Amino acid sequence: MKFPQNFLTPPGGSANPSLIHTGYHWLDQSIGGLYPGQVLIVSGSPGVGKSSFTLNITRNVTSATSLPMGGPRVHTLVVSNQSTIKRTVERLLSI
């Protein structure tokens, strides 16, 4: 899906400074980043890396380098119907 270049820029203004960077340059260029409170749903075929991708975004958005200047700490919630909490935490800590 292609968005107009000014999709994320309000008329007469600059891009929203509260957007949170995902850590994936191509994704941030496409969507501008994530809004606080936004829900991100990742789906796809089995074995294509959805969990790894999602956990990488989780790690990236909770790191200090992704936060807007002076912005609050970011909290995330990962929900998976294919993995236990223990396994998800182990994978997140191993990244």
Coordinates of all heavy atoms in Angstrom, one line a residue:
M1 N 0.8 -1.2 0.0 CA 0.0 0.0 0.0 C 0.9 1.2 0.0 O 1.8 1.3 0.8 CB -0.9 0.0 1.2 CG -1.7 1.2 1.4 SD -2.7 1.2 2.9 CE -4.0 0.1 2.5
K2 N 0.6 2.1 -0.9 CA 1.4 3.4 -1.0 C 0.6 4.5 -0.4 O -0.6 4.7 -0.7 CB 1.7 3.7 -2.4 CG 2.9 3.0 -2.9 CD 4.0 4.1 -3.1 CE 5.1 3.6 -3.9 NZ 6.3 4.0 -3.4
F3 N 1.2 5.3 0.5 CA 0.6 6.5 1.1 C 1.1 7.7 0.4 O 2.3 7.7 0.1 CB 0.9 6.5 2.6 CG 0.2 5.4 3.4 CD1 1.0 4.4 3.9 CD2 -1.1 5.4 3.6 CE1 0.5 3.4 4.6 CE2 -1.7 4.3 4.3 CZ -0.9 3.3 4.8
P4 N 0.3 8.8 0.4 CA 0.9 10.0 -0.1 C 2.0 10.5 0.8 O 2.0 10.2 2.0 CB -0.3 11.0 0.0 CG -1.5 10.2 0.2 CD -1.1 8.8 0.7
Q5 N 3.0 11.2 0.3 CA 4.1 11.7 1.1 C 3.7 12.5 2.3 O 4.3 12.4 3.3 CB 5.1 12.5 0.2 CG 5.9 11.5 -0.6 CD 7.1 12.3 -1.2 OE1 7.0 13.5 -1.5 NE2 8.2 11.6 -1.3
N6 N 2.6 13.2 2.2 CA 2.2 14.1 3.3 C 1.1 13.4 4.2 O 0.5 14.0 5.0 CB 1.6 15.4 2.8 CG 0.4 15.2 2.0 OD1 0.0 14.1 1.7 ND2 -0.3 16.3 1.6
F7 N 1.1 12.0 4.1 CA 0.1 11.3 4.9 C 0.2 11.5 6.4 O -0.9 11.6 7.0 CB 0.2 9.8 4.6 CG -0.7 8.9 5.4 CD1 -2.0 8.8 5.1 CD2 -0.1 8.1 6.4 CE1 -2.8 8.0 5.8 CE2 -1.0 7.3 7.1 CZ -2.3 7.2 6.8
L8 N 1.4 11.6 6.9 CA 1.5 11.8 8.3 C 1.8 13.2 8.8 O 2.0 13.5 9.9 CB 2.7 10.9 8.8 CG 2.4 9.4 8.7 CD1 3.7 8.6 8.9 CD2 1.3 9.0 9.6
T9 N 1.8 14.1 7.8 CA 2.1 15.5 8.2 C 0.8 16.3 8.1 O 0.1 16.4 7.1 CB 3.1 16.1 7.1 OG1 4.2 15.3 7.1 CG2 3.5 17.5 7.5
P10 N 0.4 16.9 9.2 CA -0.8 17.7 9.2 C -0.7 18.9 8.4 O 0.5 19.4 8.2 CB -1.0 18.1 10.7 CG 0.3 17.8 11.4 CD 1.1 16.8 10.5
P11 N -1.8 19.4 7.8 CA -1.7 20.6 7.0 C -1.0 21.8 7.7 O -1.3 22.1 8.8 CB -3.1 21.0 6.7 CG -3.9 19.7 6.9 CD -3.1 19.0 8.0
G12 N 0.1 22.3 7.1 CA 0.8 23.5 7.7 C 1.6 23.1 8.8 O 2.1 24.0 9.5
G13 N 1.9 21.8 9.1 CA 2.7 21.5 10.3 C 3.7 20.4 9.9 O 3.8 20.0 8.8
S14 N 4.4 20.0 10.9 CA 5.4 18.9 10.7 C 4.9 17.6 11.2 O 3.8 17.6 11.9 CB 6.7 19.3 11.4 OG 6.5 19.4 12.8
A15 N 5.6 16.5 11.0 CA 5.2 15.2 11.5 C 5.0 15.2 13.0 O 5.7 16.0 13.7 CB 6.2 14.2 11.0
N16 N 4.2 14.4 13.5 CA 3.9 14.3 14.9 C 5.2 13.9 15.7 O 5.7 12.8 15.5 CB 2.8 13.3 15.1 CG 2.3 13.2 16.5 OD1 3.0 13.6 17.4 ND2 1.1 12.7 16.7
P17 N 5.6 14.7 16.6 CA 6.9 14.4 17.3 C 6.7 13.3 18.4 O 7.6 12.8 18.9 CB 7.2 15.8 18.0 CG 5.9 16.5 18.1 CD 5.1 16.0 16.9
S18 N 5.4 12.9 18.7 CA 5.2 11.9 19.7 C 5.2 10.5 19.1 O 5.0 9.5 19.8 CB 3.9 12.2 20.4 OG 2.8 12.0 19.5
L19 N 5.5 10.4 17.8 CA 5.5 9.1 17.2 C 6.7 8.3 17.7 O 7.8 8.9 17.9 CB 5.6 9.2 15.7 CG 4.3 9.6 15.0 CD1 4.6 9.8 13.5 CD2 3.2 8.6 15.2
I20 N 6.6 7.0 17.9 CA 7.6 6.2 18.4 C 8.2 5.3 17.3 O 7.5 4.7 16.5 CB 7.1 5.2 19.5 CG1 6.4 6.1 20.6 CG2 8.1 4.3 20.1 CD1 5.5 5.3 21.5
H21 N 9.5 5.4 17.2 CA 10.2 4.6 16.1 C 10.2 3.1 16.4 O 10.5 2.7 17.5 CB 11.6 5.1 15.9 CG 11.7 6.6 15.6 ND1 11.3 7.0 14.3 CD2 12.1 7.6 16.3 CE1 11.4 8.4 14.3 NE2 11.9 8.7 15.5
T22 N 9.9 2.3 15.3 CA 9.9 0.9 15.5 C 11.3 0.2 15.5 O 11.4 -0.9 15.9 CB 9.1 0.2 14.4 OG1 9.7 0.5 13.1 CG2 7.6 0.8 14.3
G23 N 12.2 1.0 14.9 CA 13.6 0.4 14.8 C 13.8 -0.2 13.4 O 14.9 -0.6 13.1
Y24 N 12.7 -0.2 12.6 CA 12.8 -0.7 11.2 C 12.6 0.6 10.3 O 11.5 1.1 10.2 CB 11.7 -1.7 10.9 CG 12.0 -3.0 11.6 CD1 11.5 -3.4 12.8 CD2 12.8 -4.0 10.9 CE1 11.8 -4.6 13.4 CE2 13.1 -5.2 11.5 CZ 12.6 -5.5 12.7 OH 12.8 -6.7 13.3
H25 N 13.7 1.0 9.7 CA 13.7 2.3 8.9 C 12.6 2.2 7.9 O 11.8 3.2 7.7 CB 15.1 2.5 8.3 CG 15.1 3.8 7.6 ND1 15.1 5.0 8.2 CD2 15.3 4.1 6.3 CE1 15.1 6.0 7.3 NE2 15.3 5.4 6.1
W26 N 12.5 1.1 7.1 CA 11.5 1.0 6.1 C 10.1 1.1 6.6 O 9.2 1.7 5.9 CB 11.7 -0.3 5.3 CG 11.6 -1.5 6.1 CD1 12.6 -2.2 6.8 CD2 10.4 -2.3 6.4 NE1 12.2 -3.3 7.5 CE2 10.8 -3.3 7.3 CE3 9.1 -2.1 6.1 CZ2 9.9 -4.3 7.8 CZ3 8.2 -3.0 6.6 CH2 8.6 -4.1 7.4
L27 N 9.9 0.5 7.8 CA 8.5 0.6 8.4 C 8.2 2.0 8.9 O 7.1 2.5 8.6 CB 8.4 -0.4 9.5 CG 7.0 -0.5 10.2 CD1 5.9 -0.9 9.2 CD2 7.1 -1.5 11.3
D28 N 9.2 2.6 9.5 CA 9.0 4.0 10.0 C 8.8 5.0 8.9 O 8.0 5.9 9.0 CB 10.2 4.4 10.9 CG 10.3 3.7 12.2 OD1 9.2 3.3 12.7 OD2 11.4 3.6 12.7
Q29 N 9.5 4.8 7.7 CA 9.3 5.6 6.6 C 7.9 5.4 6.0 O 7.2 6.4 5.6 CB 10.3 5.3 5.5 CG 11.6 6.1 5.6 CD 12.4 5.9 4.3 OE1 12.5 4.9 3.8 NE2 12.9 7.0 3.9
S30 N 7.4 4.2 6.0 CA 6.0 3.9 5.5 C 4.9 4.4 6.4 O 4.0 5.0 5.9 CB 5.8 2.4 5.3 OG 6.7 1.9 4.4
I31 N 5.0 4.2 7.7 CA 3.9 4.6 8.6 C 4.2 5.7 9.5 O 3.4 6.2 10.2 CB 3.4 3.4 9.4 CG1 4.5 2.9 10.4 CG2 2.9 2.3 8.5 CD1 4.0 1.8 11.3
G32 N 5.5 6.2 9.5 CA 5.9 7.3 10.3 C 6.3 6.9 11.7 O 7.0 7.7 12.4
G33 N 5.9 5.8 12.2 CA 6.2 5.3 13.6 C 4.9 4.9 14.2 O 3.8 4.8 13.5
L34 N 4.9 4.6 15.5 CA 3.7 4.2 16.2 C 3.2 5.3 17.1 O 4.0 6.0 17.7 CB 4.1 2.9 17.0 CG 4.6 1.7 16.3 CD1 5.1 0.7 17.3 CD2 3.6 1.2 15.3
Y35 N 1.9 5.4 17.2 CA 1.3 6.4 18.1 C 1.2 5.7 19.5 O 0.9 4.5 19.6 CB -0.1 6.8 17.6 CG -0.1 7.7 16.4 CD1 -0.1 7.2 15.1 CD2 0.0 9.1 16.6 CE1 -0.1 8.0 14.0 CE2 0.1 9.9 15.5 CZ 0.0 9.3 14.2 OH 0.0 10.2 13.1
P36 N 1.4 6.5 20.5 CA 1.1 5.9 21.9 C -0.3 5.4 22.0 O -1.2 6.0 21.5 CB 1.3 7.2 22.8 CG 2.2 8.1 22.0 CD 1.8 7.9 20.6
G37 N -0.4 4.2 22.5 CA -1.7 3.6 22.6 C -2.2 2.8 21.4 O -3.2 2.2 21.4
Q38 N -1.4 2.8 20.4 CA -1.7 2.1 19.1 C -1.6 0.6 19.3 O -0.7 0.1 20.0 CB -0.8 2.6 18.0 CG -1.1 2.0 16.6 CD -0.3 2.6 15.5 OE1 0.6 3.4 15.8 NE2 -0.5 2.2 14.3
V39 N -2.5 -0.2 18.6 CA -2.4 -1.6 18.6 C -1.8 -2.0 17.3 O -2.3 -1.6 16.2 CB -3.8 -2.2 18.8 CG1 -3.8 -3.7 18.6 CG2 -4.4 -1.9 20.1
L40 N -0.8 -2.9 17.3 CA -0.2 -3.4 16.1 C -0.4 -4.9 16.0 O -0.1 -5.6 16.9 CB 1.3 -3.1 16.2 CG 2.2 -3.6 15.1 CD1 1.9 -2.9 13.8 CD2 3.7 -3.5 15.4
I41 N -1.1 -5.3 14.9 CA -1.4 -6.7 14.7 C -0.5 -7.2 13.6 O -0.4 -6.7 12.5 CB -2.9 -6.9 14.4 CG1 -3.7 -6.4 15.6 CG2 -3.1 -8.4 14.1 CD1 -5.2 -6.4 15.3
V42 N 0.2 -8.3 13.9 CA 1.1 -8.9 12.9 C 0.6 -10.3 12.6 O 0.4 -11.1 13.5 CB 2.6 -9.0 13.5 CG1 3.5 -9.7 12.5 CG2 3.1 -7.6 13.8
S43 N 0.3 -10.6 11.3 CA -0.2 -11.9 11.0 C 0.6 -12.4 9.8 O 1.2 -11.6 9.0 CB -1.7 -11.8 10.7 OG -1.9 -11.0 9.5
G44 N 0.6 -13.7 9.5 CA 1.2 -14.3 8.4 C 1.3 -15.8 8.5 O 0.7 -16.4 9.5
S45 N 1.9 -16.4 7.5 CA 2.0 -17.9 7.5 C 2.9 -18.4 8.6 O 3.7 -17.6 9.1 CB 2.5 -18.3 6.2 OG 1.7 -17.9 5.1
P46 N 2.7 -19.6 9.0 CA 3.6 -20.2 10.1 C 5.0 -20.2 9.6 O 5.3 -20.4 8.5 CB 3.0 -21.6 10.2 CG 1.6 -21.6 9.7 CD 1.6 -20.6 8.6
G47 N 5.9 -19.9 10.6 CA 7.3 -20.0 10.3 C 8.0 -18.9 9.5 O 9.1 -19.0 9.1
V48 N 7.3 -17.7 9.4 CA 7.9 -16.6 8.6 C 8.5 -15.6 9.5 O 9.1 -14.6 8.9 CB 6.8 -16.0 7.6 CG1 6.4 -17.0 6.6 CG2 5.7 -15.4 8.4
G49 N 8.5 -15.7 10.8 CA 9.2 -14.8 11.7 C 8.3 -13.7 12.3 O 8.8 -12.7 12.7
K50 N 7.0 -14.0 12.5 CA 6.1 -13.0 13.1 C 6.5 -12.7 14.5 O 6.6 -11.6 14.9 CB 4.7 -13.5 13.1 CG 4.1 -13.7 11.7 CD 2.7 -14.3 11.8 CE 2.6 -15.6 12.5 NZ 3.2 -16.8 11.8
S51 N 6.8 -13.8 15.3 CA 7.2 -13.6 16.7 C 8.5 -12.8 16.8 O 8.6 -11.9 17.6 CB 7.3 -14.9 17.4 OG 6.0 -15.5 17.5
S52 N 9.5 -13.2 16.0 CA 10.8 -12.5 16.1 C 10.6 -11.0 15.7 O 11.2 -10.1 16.4 CB 11.8 -13.2 15.1 OG 12.1 -14.5 15.5
F53 N 9.9 -10.8 14.7 CA 9.6 -9.4 14.2 C 8.9 -8.6 15.3 O 9.3 -7.5 15.6 CB 8.8 -9.4 12.9 CG 8.4 -8.1 12.4 CD1 9.3 -7.2 11.9 CD2 7.0 -7.7 12.4 CE1 9.0 -5.9 11.4 CE2 6.7 -6.4 11.9 CZ 7.6 -5.6 11.4
T54 N 7.9 -9.2 15.9 CA 7.1 -8.5 16.9 C 8.0 -8.2 18.2 O 7.9 -7.2 18.8 CB 5.9 -9.3 17.3 OG1 5.1 -9.5 16.1 CG2 5.0 -8.6 18.3
L55 N 8.8 -9.2 18.6 CA 9.6 -9.1 19.8 C 10.7 -8.0 19.5 O 11.1 -7.3 20.4 CB 10.2 -10.4 20.2 CG 9.1 -11.4 20.8 CD1 9.8 -12.7 21.1 CD2 8.5 -10.8 22.0
N56 N 11.2 -8.0 18.3 CA 12.2 -7.0 17.9 C 11.6 -5.6 18.0 O 12.3 -4.6 18.5 CB 12.8 -7.2 16.5 CG 13.9 -8.2 16.5 OD1 14.7 -8.2 17.4 ND2 13.9 -9.1 15.6
I57 N 10.4 -5.4 17.5 CA 9.7 -4.1 17.6 C 9.5 -3.8 19.1 O 9.8 -2.6 19.5 CB 8.4 -4.1 16.9 CG1 8.7 -4.1 15.4 CG2 7.6 -2.9 17.2 CD1 7.4 -4.1 14.5
T58 N 9.1 -4.8 19.9 CA 8.9 -4.5 21.3 C 10.2 -4.1 22.0 O 10.2 -3.1 22.7 CB 8.4 -5.9 22.0 OG1 7.2 -6.2 21.4 CG2 8.3 -5.7 23.5
R59 N 11.3 -4.7 21.7 CA 12.6 -4.3 22.2 C 13.0 -2.9 21.8 O 13.4 -2.1 22.6 CB 13.7 -5.3 21.8 CG 15.0 -5.0 22.4 CD 16.2 -5.6 21.7 NE 16.1 -5.1 20.3 CZ 16.8 -5.7 19.3 NH1 17.5 -6.7 19.5 NH2 16.7 -5.2 18.1
N60 N 12.8 -2.7 20.5 CA 13.2 -1.4 19.9 C 12.3 -0.2 20.5 O 12.9 0.8 20.8 CB 13.0 -1.4 18.4 CG 14.0 -2.3 17.7 OD1 15.0 -2.7 18.3 ND2 13.7 -2.7 16.5
V61 N 11.0 -0.4 20.7 CA 10.2 0.7 21.1 C 10.4 1.0 22.6 O 10.1 2.1 23.1 CB 8.7 0.6 20.8 CG1 8.5 0.4 19.3 CG2 8.1 -0.6 21.6
T62 N 10.9 0.0 23.4 CA 11.1 0.2 24.8 C 12.5 0.7 25.1 O 12.8 1.0 26.3 CB 10.8 -1.1 25.6 OG1 11.6 -2.1 25.1 CG2 9.3 -1.5 25.5
S63 N 13.3 0.8 24.1 CA 14.7 1.3 24.3 C 14.7 2.8 24.3 O 13.8 3.5 23.7 CB 15.7 0.8 23.3 OG 15.4 1.4 22.0
A64 N 15.6 3.4 25.0 CA 15.6 4.9 25.2 C 15.8 5.6 23.8 O 15.3 6.7 23.7 CB 16.7 5.3 26.1
T65 N 16.5 5.0 22.9 CA 16.7 5.7 21.6 C 15.5 5.9 20.7 O 15.5 6.7 19.8 CB 17.8 4.9 20.8 OG1 17.3 3.6 20.6 CG2 19.1 4.9 21.6
S66 N 14.4 5.1 21.0 CA 13.2 5.2 20.2 C 12.2 6.2 20.7 O 11.3 6.6 20.0 CB 12.6 3.9 20.0 OG 12.0 3.5 21.3
L67 N 12.4 6.7 21.9 CA 11.5 7.5 22.6 C 11.5 9.0 22.0 O 12.6 9.5 21.7 CB 11.7 7.6 24.1 CG 11.6 6.3 24.8 CD1 11.9 6.5 26.3 CD2 10.2 5.7 24.7
P68 N 10.4 9.6 21.9 CA 10.4 11.0 21.5 C 11.1 11.8 22.5 O 11.2 11.4 23.7 CB 8.9 11.4 21.5 CG 8.1 10.1 21.5 CD 9.0 9.1 22.1
M69 N 11.7 12.9 22.1 CA 12.5 13.7 23.0 C 11.6 14.2 24.2 O 10.6 14.7 24.0 CB 13.1 15.0 22.3 CG 14.1 14.6 21.3 SD 14.9 16.0 20.5 CE 15.7 16.8 21.8
G70 N 12.1 13.8 25.4 CA 11.4 14.2 26.6 C 10.1 13.4 26.8 O 9.3 13.7 27.7
G71 N 9.9 12.3 26.0 CA 8.6 11.6 26.0 C 8.6 10.6 27.2 O 9.7 10.3 27.8
P72 N 7.5 10.1 27.6 CA 7.4 9.2 28.7 C 7.9 7.8 28.3 O 8.0 7.5 27.1 CB 5.9 9.1 29.0 CG 5.2 9.5 27.6 CD 6.2 10.4 27.0
R73 N 8.1 7.0 29.3 CA 8.6 5.6 29.0 C 7.4 4.9 28.3 O 6.3 5.1 28.5 CB 8.9 4.9 30.3 CG 9.3 3.5 30.2 CD 9.9 3.1 31.5 NE 11.2 3.5 31.7 CZ 12.3 2.8 31.4 NH1 12.2 1.7 30.9 NH2 13.5 3.3 31.6
V74 N 7.8 4.0 27.4 CA 6.8 3.2 26.6 C 6.6 1.9 27.2 O 7.5 1.2 27.6 CB 7.3 3.1 25.2 CG1 6.3 2.2 24.3 CG2 7.5 4.4 24.5
H75 N 5.3 1.5 27.4 CA 4.9 0.2 27.9 C 4.4 -0.6 26.7 O 3.7 -0.1 25.8 CB 3.9 0.3 29.0 CG 4.4 1.1 30.1 ND1 5.2 0.5 31.1 CD2 4.2 2.3 30.5 CE1 5.5 1.5 32.0 NE2 4.9 2.6 31.6
T76 N 4.7 -1.9 26.7 CA 4.1 -2.7 25.6 C 3.5 -4.0 26.1 O 3.7 -4.4 27.3 CB 5.3 -3.2 24.6 OG1 6.2 -4.0 25.4 CG2 6.0 -2.0 24.0
L77 N 2.6 -4.6 25.3 CA 1.9 -5.8 25.7 C 2.1 -6.7 24.4 O 1.7 -6.3 23.3 CB 0.5 -5.6 26.0 CG -0.4 -6.8 26.2 CD1 0.0 -7.6 27.4 CD2 -1.9 -6.4 26.3
V78 N 2.6 -7.9 24.6 CA 2.7 -8.9 23.6 C 1.7 -10.0 23.9 O 1.7 -10.6 24.9 CB 4.1 -9.5 23.5 CG1 4.2 -10.6 22.4 CG2 5.1 -8.4 23.1
V79 N 0.8 -10.3 22.9 CA -0.2 -11.4 23.0 C 0.1 -12.4 21.9 O 0.2 -12.0 20.8 CB -1.6 -10.9 22.9 CG1 -2.6 -12.0 23.1 CG2 -1.9 -9.8 24.0
S80 N 0.3 -13.6 22.3 CA 0.5 -14.7 21.3 C -0.3 -15.9 21.7 O -0.3 -16.3 22.9 CB 2.0 -15.1 21.3 OG 2.2 -16.2 20.5
N81 N -1.0 -16.5 20.7 CA -1.8 -17.7 21.0 C -1.0 -18.9 20.7 O -1.5 -20.0 20.8 CB -3.1 -17.7 20.2 CG -2.9 -17.8 18.7 OD1 -1.8 -17.6 18.2 ND2 -4.0 -18.1 18.0
Q82 N 0.3 -18.8 20.3 CA 1.1 -19.9 20.0 C 2.3 -20.1 20.9 O 3.1 -21.0 20.7 CB 1.6 -19.8 18.5 CG 0.5 -19.8 17.5 CD 1.1 -19.5 16.1 OE1 2.2 -19.0 15.9 NE2 0.3 -19.9 15.1
S83 N 2.4 -19.3 21.9 CA 3.6 -19.3 22.7 C 3.2 -19.1 24.2 O 2.3 -18.3 24.4 CB 4.7 -18.3 22.3 OG 5.8 -18.4 23.0
T84 N 3.9 -19.7 25.1 CA 3.7 -19.5 26.5 C 4.4 -18.2 26.9 O 5.2 -17.7 26.2 CB 4.3 -20.6 27.4 OG1 5.7 -20.6 27.2 CG2 3.7 -22.0 27.0
I85 N 4.0 -17.7 28.1 CA 4.6 -16.4 28.6 C 6.1 -16.7 28.8 O 6.9 -15.8 28.5 CB 3.9 -16.0 29.9 CG1 2.4 -15.6 29.6 CG2 4.6 -14.9 30.6 CD1 1.6 -15.3 30.9
K86 N 6.4 -17.8 29.4 CA 7.8 -18.1 29.7 C 8.6 -18.1 28.4 O 9.7 -17.5 28.4 CB 7.9 -19.5 30.4 CG 9.3 -19.9 30.7 CD 9.4 -21.2 31.4 CE 10.9 -21.5 31.7 NZ 11.1 -22.9 32.0
R87 N 8.1 -18.8 27.4 CA 8.9 -18.9 26.1 C 9.0 -17.5 25.5 O 10.1 -17.1 25.0 CB 8.2 -19.8 25.2 CG 8.8 -20.0 23.8 CD 10.2 -20.6 24.0 NE 10.8 -20.7 22.6 CZ 12.0 -20.3 22.4 NH1 12.8 -20.0 23.4 NH2 12.5 -20.4 21.2
T88 N 8.0 -16.7 25.6 CA 8.0 -15.3 25.0 C 9.0 -14.5 25.7 O 9.8 -13.8 25.1 CB 6.6 -14.7 25.0 OG1 5.7 -15.5 24.3 CG2 6.6 -13.3 24.4
V89 N 9.1 -14.5 27.0 CA 10.0 -13.8 27.8 C 11.4 -14.2 27.5 O 12.4 -13.4 27.4 CB 9.7 -13.8 29.3 CG1 10.8 -13.2 30.2 CG2 8.4 -13.1 29.6
E90 N 11.6 -15.6 27.5 CA 13.0 -16.1 27.1 C 13.4 -15.6 25.8 O 14.6 -15.2 25.6 CB 12.9 -17.6 27.1 CG 12.8 -18.3 28.5 CD 12.6 -19.8 28.4 OE1 12.3 -20.3 27.4 OE2 12.7 -20.4 29.5
R91 N 12.6 -15.6 24.8 CA 12.9 -15.1 23.5 C 13.3 -13.6 23.5 O 14.2 -13.2 22.9 CB 11.8 -15.4 22.5 CG 11.7 -16.8 22.1 CD 10.7 -17.1 21.1 NE 11.2 -16.6 19.8 CZ 10.5 -16.7 18.6 NH1 9.3 -17.2 18.6 NH2 11.0 -16.2 17.5
L92 N 12.5 -12.8 24.2 CA 12.7 -11.4 24.3 C 14.0 -11.1 25.0 O 14.8 -10.3 24.6 CB 11.6 -10.7 25.1 CG 11.6 -9.2 25.2 CD1 11.6 -8.6 23.8 CD2 10.4 -8.7 25.9
L93 N 14.4 -11.9 26.1 CA 15.6 -11.6 26.8 C 16.8 -12.1 26.0 O 17.9 -11.6 26.2 CB 15.6 -12.3 28.1 CG 14.6 -11.8 29.1 CD1 14.6 -12.6 30.4 CD2 14.9 -10.3 29.5
S94 N 16.6 -13.0 25.0 CA 17.7 -13.5 24.3 C 18.1 -12.7 23.1 O 19.1 -12.9 22.4 CB 17.5 -15.0 23.8 OG 16.4 -14.9 22.8
I95 N 17.2 -11.7 22.8 CA 17.5 -10.8 21.6 C 18.6 -9.8 21.9 O 18.7 -9.2 23.0 CB 16.2 -10.0 21.2 CG1 15.1 -10.9 20.8 CG2 16.5 -9.0 20.2 CD1 13.8 -10.3 20.5

